[in-house]
Amino acid sequence: MLLTDYFRSERDYAWDISRQCGVRHGVIRLPEDDKFDLTDHENWKTVYDKFIDFGIKPVVIEPMPNCVHDHIKAGDEKRDECIEKVIKMFPIMQKLDIGTICFNFMAYIGWLRTSSDIPERGGAVVTGFDEKDMPQVDASISSDKLWENYTYFIKAVIPYAEKYGIRLALHPDDPPRKNIGNVERILISADNIEKAVRGIVKSDMLGVTMCQANFYIMGEDLYKVIPRFADKIFFVHFRNTIGNISKFRETFHDNGSLEMARLMKLYKKCGIDVPIRVDHVPTMLGEKSNVAGYDALGRLFAIGYLKGIIDCCEQEL
Ligand SMILES: [Mn+2]
């Protein structure tokens, strides 16, 4: 497994935490201001060089930038020009040797939690979801329309992903519920994800981000799902959780329902050797939360824990 971490494009405290923990490869979020042109190599190079100078080699783009992806998911009048922009990202990524992009297909609402101050071990706090507290949503889209928009997008971009050798790693919906109000969701079961990555086009460039906790919350058996998608897992979100589709919360990486070391052994047994990063960490004592789930101290523990498990699985006696 290739140890990575998630980096915003402007240097912050988390950059130093990761670098000091020994992370050398980055999952990077591209700048979201209007000045950044997704289709311009020089714009990318400026961001890329900042990471290289810091000692981090970018290997994954996450997420697909919302400025283009939102229109593609909604299938609105800007969809085609946005797809053109996505296609123009691929040769730039190839030149910079960034081989993977993580994308989702949740329209209008991204990952959703209903609270961010649930007590975890020793007074740390985590985010969680409870269907009783589901927010009101103004937007509306049907699952049929989403499948149609997904199919349109995949058919348009896969030939170029193949031409430039870019792997598209589809992230499951979070939470993987049938709907949030009138916004339906489609990537909510292993069968639906199978259909999305094998049933529409056949391509070695189309696969899955194995966000472990989401598959668990779907009610899937990870010990079946990971082998089933072995050839399609392009990227792993190493995440733990407690609960079910109605009510769940994040945990410290060693304190949830998923058996993290066993899962790592399973990836190895299945020959899965891809970028991996920790996901959704607790906010710890004294930390002012910048983005709940993505604070620095929780990552410090999570990265060390992940690194230890990787070493333990890779070093033979
Ligand atoms: Mn995830």
Side-chain angles (χ1 to χ4, degrees):
M1 286 288 189
L2 184 69
L3 178 72
T4 68
D5 195 21
Y6 185 65
F7 295 89
R8 298 182 190 96
S9 56
E10 285 299 322
R11 181 167 171 184
D12 60 14
Y13 182 52
W15 281 41
D16 293 86
I17 292 269
S18 294
R19 187 67 192 82
Q20 288 174 17
C21 286
V23 173
R24 303 297 305 270
H25 294 87
V27 174
I28 66 168
R29 185 177 189 113
L30 293 171
E32 280 153 296
D33 56 279
D34 295 341
K35 283 182 292 198
F36 185 81
D37 179 357
L38 287 176
T39 65
D40 182 78
H41 180 265
E42 285 310 307
N43 277 215
W44 279 68
K45 189 79 168 61
T46 308
V47 174
Y48 181 85
D49 286 348
K50 216 164 34 171
F51 282 106
I52 294 292
D53 292 346
F54 189 72
I56 297 292
K57 167 72 184 87
V59 291
V60 179
I61 298 297
E62 179 186 0
M64 182 163 289
N66 293 323
C67 61
V68 286
H69 203 22
D70 285 350
H71 299 290
I72 292 168
K73 290 186 279 193
D76 64 24
E77 70 284 352
K78 286 195 171 160
R79 163 168 65 180
D80 288 342
E81 64 180 270
C82 289
I83 288 177
E84 284 304 312
K85 284 186 184 168
V86 169
I87 288 169
K88 285 183 182 157
M89 290 168 60
F90 296 163
I92 300 172
M93 289 175 65
Q94 184 193 44
K95 229 180 245 166
L96 299 175
D97 193 25
I98 303 174
T100 305
I101 183 161
C102 173
F103 74 112
N104 66 69
F105 224 78
M106 293 177 275
Y108 301 114
I109 307 157
W111 71 286
L112 177 70
R113 298 291 181 268
T114 54
S115 49
S116 58
D117 57 355
I118 302 170
E120 228 295 77
R121 189 171 59 199
V125 294
V126 292
T127 64
F129 176 88
D130 189 333
E131 64 184 6
K132 290 203 307 286
D133 303 324
M134 200 114 90
Q136 293 287 331
V137 179
D138 290 335
S140 146
I141 192 163
S142 70
S143 59
D144 285 348
K145 183 72 181 146
L146 270 174
W147 276 117
E148 200 184 303
N149 293 349
Y150 176 82
T151 302
Y152 186 94
F153 170 64
I154 288 302
K155 286 191 170 166
V157 298
I158 283 295
Y160 297 93
E162 290 187 341
K163 180 173 172 191
Y164 296 105
I166 304 301
R167 291 175 133 193
L168 305 186
L170 178 63
H171 190 287
D173 295 343
D174 183 4
R177 297 179 65 89
K178 274 177 78 79
N179 62 293
I180 309 288
N182 291 324
V183 175
E184 295 194 336
R185 295 191 150 186
I186 54 176
L187 303 166
I188 56 173
S189 67
D191 284 348
N192 281 16
I193 287 166
E194 172 100 30
K195 176 178 155 186
V197 300
R198 286 197 238 261
I200 294 166
V201 292
K202 297 255 174 285
S203 174
D204 290 342
M205 292 298 121
L206 181 57
V208 175
T209 295
M210 175 49 64
C211 186
Q212 306 174 157
N214 269 309
F215 282 90
Y216 177 82
I217 293 294
M218 287 172 198
E220 301 287 358
D221 178 350
L222 284 165
Y223 298 94
K224 293 193 177 120
V225 168
I226 290 169
R228 175 177 176 181
F229 288 108
D231 61 322
K232 287 291 188 187
I233 294 176
F234 292 171
F235 179 34
V236 175
H237 279 181
F238 194 66
R239 193 184 133 208
N240 213 332
T241 192
I242 285 177
N244 55 47
I245 192 76
S246 303
K247 186 177 178 179
F248 65 87
R249 67 173 178 86
E250 310 292 336
T251 67
F252 278 104
H253 277 71
D254 64 334
N255 203 31
S257 299
L258 281 67
E259 303 163 301
M260 305 298 258
R262 263 187 94 196
L263 293 175
M264 189 65 72
K265 288 178 185 160
L266 183 58
Y267 292 126
K268 185 170 164 62
K269 189 174 162 206
C270 294
I272 298 163
D273 188 4
V274 296
I276 185 168
R277 74 163 177 90
V278 301
D279 204 2
H280 299 180
V281 300
T283 300
M284 295 180 74
L285 183 69
E287 262 192 309
K288 186 177 167 300
S289 180
N290 288 317
V291 183
Y294 286 85
D295 291 313
L297 286 182
R299 303 192 86 75
L300 182 68
F301 175 75
I303 293 167
Y305 180 73
L306 169 58
K307 202 163 191 274
I309 289 179
I310 293 174
D311 282 353
C312 205
C313 289
E314 291 185 353
Q315 294 171 11
E316 302 294 335
L317 190 63

